[in-house]
Amino acid sequence: MSYFDAASSAPLHPVARQALLASLDEGWADPSRLYREGRRARLLLDAAREAAAEAVECRPDELTFTSSGTRAVHDGIAGALAGRRRIGRHLIVSAVEHSSVLHSAELFEVTEVPVSRTGAVSAQSYVDALRPDTALACLQSANHEVGTVQPVAEVAAVCRQAGVPLLVDAAQSLGWGPVEGEWSLLTASAHKWGGPSGVGLLAVRKGVRFSPQGPADERESGRAPGFENLPAIVAAAASLRAVRAEAAQEAVRLRELTARIRARVPRLVPDVDVVGDPEKRLPGIVTFSCLYVDGETLLHELDREGFSVSSGSSCTSSTLTPSHVLKAMGVLSEGNVRVSLPFGAVSEEVDRFLEVLPGAVAAVREKLGAPTPSAVVREDSLVVDALGKRCPIPVIELAKVIGDVPVGGTVRVLSDDEAARLDIPAWCEMREQEYVGEEPAENGTAYVIRRIR
């Protein structure tokens, strides 16, 4: 089974498992007590806070552990707005925020900032939304459904200039690196980076007016009531440090794999819309929507083939309404598939997914009685074996198949005729195709041509 839904919840990192088991033995006591067991627990809690604060790039006394990422968002928004209640109750959010942010915002007067078709906001849109009674602005660091990275630093700058704190939901991005910019509050969730579930982070910068809501509690600076889940907290901090150490190298790998999916899916499956920013995006997320497809049925088909993916389609498990993210972007929502690769995902799994997907989509379309797509399914690379054939045969064979690859696709002509070295580049110039060059090949030479029209 290939698990491709890391954006929902990443598999438990091995370091998290080790830290969790170790701290079950060492961190069971009350860290607020002064006896030996309590002091040992306090040392573990303090070390976890320092490690997490280092990853967030805040001070340890600015960071609070909560019972979940959602709890961190709810407490962060409520506390920040309560701290600035004399300013007003106006809240700015983007239209593609996580539901935890949008549900919290329902309790206040809200302005939703629109996004582009790629899912990104502009700093100017936040400027336009600011009012004298604006108490707080919220912006995710990266979108959980389509992977688009938001311009947090630019938005933080305009908010700071206006004297408005910015809360950043960094749940999807914190495992990849710290959030840039002068944000005021930040939230995150451990199970998104391979830590255990039930641990959230809430960072509140010094100088930000903040008033915790609810009954008073002495723990976590009064911002997160209840006994700390110390083993889970230790595991969350340890796994965050571990994934950060691997992030740069792993990001390169996963970007190559998701780029392969983004490029191949439209060529293998007709009537598909790949959504999200093609460049400014998280390394492991790629999302596409298929016309004439029931999203829930497609997910079941892929599950039967051994792939766990998710969807923002209007036809998924618990809701009959389209994803608010896809709706705000103005893109196709039916037949939506989000592939979010976990750390360690391998190339062979991605290739097998690309082999399975066309058949799965075709099967769902056939069940629904969808019209047969008129587009021709094309491979993005073809090989023409013209070994042993004299020119102009290699050029003729090239001309026959150039239309079988999409624009941007390549044809490799294998030839052992020396004349091909002149004829094929000449043909490319005459036909306005791109001659990429030649490569060594067994028993001859491979001439590479890219279709550009």
Side-chain angles (χ1 to χ4, degrees), residues 1-2 4-5 8 286-290 293-319 326 333-339 353 356-357 359-361 363-365 367-368:
M1 193 74 181
S2 296
F4 284 178
D5 195 22
S8 292
V286 58
T287 305
F288 54 89
S289 301
C290 309
V293 167
D294 177 321
E296 187 171 7
T297 303
L298 178 56
L299 263 57
H300 287 319
E301 287 286 339
L302 292 171
D303 182 50
R304 278 193 286 269
E305 294 289 348
F307 293 96
S308 301
V309 298
S310 66
S311 173
S313 171
S314 58
C315 306
T316 49
S317 57
S318 61
T319 177
L326 301 178
S333 67
E334 67 180 59
N336 179 259
V337 174
R338 180 187 66 182
V339 175
F353 174 78
V356 164
L357 180 66
V361 174
V364 174
R365 285 173 171 167
K367 288 179 184 177
L368 295 176

Side-chain angles (χ1 to χ4, degrees), residues 217-236:
D217 194 286
E218 294 75 22
R219 297 182 184 274
E220 292 299 301
S221 303
R223 292 176 181 169
F227 196 94
E228 295 93 341
N229 185 352
L230 188 53
I233 288 172
V234 170

Side-chain angles (χ1 to χ4, degrees), residues 115-287:
V115 297
S116 67
R117 192 171 174 82
T118 65
V121 303
S122 68
Q124 184 59 45
S125 64
Y126 273 73
V127 173
D128 296 340
L130 288 167
R131 300 185 341 199
D133 62 340
T134 301
L136 180 67
C138 299
L139 179 63
Q140 59 195 196
S141 55
N143 187 261
H144 53 285
E145 286 193 32
V146 301
T148 298
V149 172
Q150 300 289 3
V152 173
E154 291 89 337
V155 172
V158 300
C159 288
R160 177 171 287 272
Q161 186 175 7
V164 174
L166 176 69
L167 182 148
V168 178
D169 171 15
Q172 285 297 339
S173 73
L174 193 61
W176 295 108
V179 176
E180 297 181 355
E182 296 182 281
W183 48 266
S184 303
L185 303 96
L186 181 143
T187 64
S189 186
H191 73 99
K192 299 291 188 180
W193 66 68
S197 58
V199 179
L201 304 181
L202 170 60
V204 182
R205 296 282 197 197
K206 292 295 182 183
V208 175
R209 291 186 177 276
F210 190 89
S211 178
Q213 299 301 285
D217 194 286
E218 294 75 22
R219 297 182 184 274
E220 292 299 301
S221 303
R223 292 176 181 169
F227 196 94
E228 295 93 341
N229 185 352
L230 188 53
I233 288 172
V234 170
S239 58
L240 180 55
R241 175 175 286 177
V243 298
R244 279 291 190 83
E246 306 164 1
Q249 183 176 358
E250 190 67 4
V252 173
R253 261 190 3 93
L254 293 189
R255 285 191 189 281
E256 291 177 352
L257 295 179
T258 51
R260 186 184 308 173
I261 297 173
R262 287 183 65 87
R264 297 271 293 168
V265 165
R267 298 168 184 169
L268 296 172
V269 182
D271 297 320
V272 165
D273 185 16
V274 181
V275 300
D277 195 291
E279 301 295 335
K280 297 177 181 178
R281 56 185 304 99
L282 291 175
I285 298 179
V286 58
T287 305

Side-chain angles (χ1 to χ4, degrees), residues 19 42 49 63 73 166 197 215 248 371 373 438 443:
R42 169 57 62 180
R49 196 184 311 278
L63 188 138
V73 167
L166 176 69
S197 58
E438 61 182 69
N443 301 322

Side-chain angles (χ1 to χ4, degrees), residues 362-421:
V364 174
R365 285 173 171 167
E366 184 177 3
K367 288 179 184 177
L368 295 176
T372 303
S374 58
V376 177
V377 178
R378 293 168 171 153
E379 292 291 340
D380 62 349
S381 180
L382 289 178
V383 177
V384 174
D385 187 352
L387 294 171
K389 300 177 181 178
R390 303 298 92 189
C391 280
I393 299 301
V395 180
I396 292 173
E397 295 298 322
L398 167 61
K400 287 180 180 178
V401 303
I402 191 68
D404 293 338
V405 296
V407 172
T410 60
V411 177
R412 299 173 76 248
V413 181
L414 305 181
S415 178
D416 52 4
D417 185 1
E418 189 64 18
R421 183 168 280 110

